[in-house]
Amino acid sequence: MVFRRCLVASGLIAFCAFGCRGGANSSTENTTQVVQESNVTQLLIEAKATQKAEDFFHQGNNLLDGQRYEDAIKAYDKAIAIKVENPEAWINRGIGLTSLQRDKEALASYDRAIAIKPDKYEAWYNRGIALTSLQRYKEAIASYDKAIAIQPDKYEALINRGIALTKLHRYHDAITSYDRAITIKPDLHQAYYNKACCYALQSNLELAIENLDKAIELVPDKYKKLAKTDSDFSKVRSEKQFQELLQ
């Protein structure tokens, strides 16, 4: 919009310079006044448009919180139509799409956010989630790595990174990722449970039990129930020590 305002100002000044030789000072004053009024009008128009975009954005957030994902996406689309350079609207739009399992569309939305603001943690993190859902695990890991580089203390990205690594059977790297998450948050029960899964998949009964025991200690009912049916424990489920832990 600044560029357009400059063009208007240049046009008015040039017109007066060629058409008003006898009253240059007066014409210049009038021209300045017209330009100032035009600028004020433009600023008011921009302010109203910005406010309208914000209103649609907040409407979308409320709908997203209420799990009305289709309606939320429509609200974000309206916000973006007014103010396209809004990374938060693109991210939340992506979250709505992810919630509807429209992961390819969500991925495109996160990419738009990143194009606007490359250091946006939430965009890289949610991009990783979409890629994981699409079973594009290597790309998901790369996205989580970007997110972690931006905010190293976000344990959620480290856990999800570990899950993607596990899907690629890179168990050692996955465990390292979970350990980094535990360093940030020592009572992180999800990390202990996922570590137990990794060890069980490698038939390491002792370490599978050790980590599952920690997860159960933190959230007993959830992990006892989950471990009874989780296919990751198939290799160790019949072992007496494992059965005793789940009693």
Side-chain angles (χ1 to χ4, degrees), residues 19-158:
C20 306
R21 292 185 185 180
N25 292 337
S26 175
S27 297
T28 302
E29 289 171 6
N30 291 338
T31 301
T32 303
Q33 184 178 351
V34 171
V35 172
Q36 288 174 345
E37 289 175 356
S38 176
N39 289 347
V40 169
T41 301
Q42 186 62 47
L43 287 171
L44 287 171
I45 292 169
E46 289 177 11
K48 287 180 180 178
T50 299
Q51 184 58 57
K52 198 169 184 180
E54 284 293 316
D55 290 343
F56 282 128
F57 176 69
H58 291 303
Q59 181 185 341
N61 290 348
N62 290 332
L63 290 164
L64 193 66
D65 289 340
Q67 299 183 358
R68 293 173 57 186
Y69 302 120
E70 292 282 5
D71 292 332
I73 292 162
K74 289 175 184 176
Y76 292 130
D77 283 341
K78 289 177 182 178
I80 291 163
I82 297 167
K83 188 179 178 183
V84 70
E85 299 293 302
N86 185 343
E88 288 79 14
W90 283 110
I91 291 167
N92 287 2
R93 180 180 184 272
I95 291 169
L97 289 162
T98 298
S99 301
L100 293 171
Q101 297 182 324
R102 291 161 59 182
D103 296 301
K104 288 184 179 179
E105 294 173 76
L107 186 60
S109 207
Y110 299 134
D111 284 342
R112 289 295 298 270
I114 290 165
I116 297 165
K117 192 171 175 59
D119 62 345
K120 196 72 175 172
Y121 166 85
E122 294 84 358
W124 287 110
Y125 173 73
N126 285 298
R127 186 176 187 271
I129 291 172
L131 287 163
T132 300
S133 296
L134 292 167
Q135 299 183 2
R136 292 162 59 178
Y137 301 120
K138 288 183 180 180
E139 294 171 80
I141 293 162
S143 277
Y144 292 132
D145 284 343
K146 287 278 190 179
I148 293 161
I150 295 165
Q151 292 196 28
D153 62 338
K154 291 289 187 178
Y155 58 83
E156 298 91 344
L158 285 162

Side-chain angles (χ1 to χ4, degrees), residues 4-15:
R4 287 186 64 184
R5 240 185 281 149
C6 289
L7 281 178
V8 171
S10 297
L12 284 168
I13 293 167
F15 177 81

